[in-house]
Amino acid sequence: MGDPAAPRTPDSAGRRPPGKDQGQGVPRRAAFVMLTRSVLVTAGLVAAYYLLPLDGGTTATTAALLALGLAGVALLFAWEVMVIAHSPYPRLKAVEALSSTLPLFLLLSATAYYLLDRAAPRSFSEPLTRTDSLYFTVATFATVGYGDITARSQTARVLTTLQMVGGLLLVGVAARVLASAVQAGLRQQRGRPPE
């Protein structure tokens, strides 16, 4: 092996051999594309949350929406895991997957709270706007629970409990699954069979 501190000279095509500045890690362009895509997906989800007509409905509709949305998050996550395992940059793709799945989960929960408040007005300690619903969702997810907005009805408490459990699963299980997918992708790049 050569000295890593030794200068690298270009080959006949003008390319430098791989080193600290090249050939290792993620190219800047791929990182920029991932960051841009993540920001655009999140911005699109937030815009949809604020712009979609949410007239409310029954609590059964809210529960059905939440169940369908959570199934959608699970399907998205499963698809992302497969993509990570076959990506040329599995670590970068895992970050991108989490940065799209997490906002979707949070906005879905906020939508469910907002719709529940419309269907059953005394479900929370105060009427919820879309921003209040998002704030309550993020405060619950971050486990800070300031206490300014609280779930009062049994349905609101069940939804909040489901969000807490879902958040724990997203952070705990998803992190493990993503790490495994990254490892599978790296093994595939090296040409080793999966363990």
Side-chain angles (χ1 to χ4, degrees):
M1 296 212 75
D3 177 14
R8 294 180 311 280
T9 57
D11 64 7
S12 61
R15 297 177 301 232
R16 292 194 174 271
K20 287 185 178 184
D21 61 336
Q22 183 181 352
Q24 296 176 352
V26 178
R28 285 187 178 146
R29 182 177 183 280
F32 176 77
V33 167
M34 183 278 305
L35 178 64
T36 302
R37 195 168 32 224
S38 295
V39 167
L40 290 175
V41 165
T42 300
L45 289 170
V46 171
Y49 171 73
Y50 279 102
L51 296 175
L52 285 175
L54 301 173
D55 300 338
T58 65
T59 54
T61 303
T62 303
L65 173 71
L66 181 62
L68 286 172
L70 291 175
V73 170
L75 288 172
L76 171 68
F77 189 74
W79 178 76
E80 291 282 6
V81 167
M82 289 188 306
V83 170
I84 290 166
H86 297 92
S87 172
Y89 308 111
R91 289 183 185 109
L92 186 62
K93 189 62 186 162
V95 170
E96 183 180 7
L98 199 54
S99 69
S100 63
T101 304
L102 181 60
L104 180 60
F105 173 76
L106 294 174
L107 290 166
L108 177 65
S109 297
T111 301
Y113 295 139
Y114 180 77
L115 290 175
L116 176 62
D117 189 60
R118 294 290 158 281
R122 294 206 165 273
S123 294
F124 295 92
S125 56
E126 61 185 70
L128 299 180
T129 64
R130 290 182 197 222
T131 301
D132 293 335
S133 299
L134 186 56
Y135 165 80
F136 178 70
T137 300
V138 173
T140 301
F141 180 78
T143 68
V144 292
Y146 295 113
D148 52 347
I149 301 173
T150 57
R152 285 192 172 166
S153 73
Q154 294 300 305
T155 305
R157 289 179 178 179
V158 167
L159 280 177
T160 304
T161 301
L162 288 174
Q163 185 214 331
M164 287 187 257
V165 170
L168 290 171
L169 288 173
L170 188 63
V171 170
V173 174
R176 176 69 181 135
V177 169
L178 290 176
S180 296
V182 167
Q183 292 304 319
L186 292 173
R187 279 192 301 273
Q188 184 177 345
Q189 282 181 351
R190 294 184 203 115
R192 286 192 271 162
E195 295 174 356

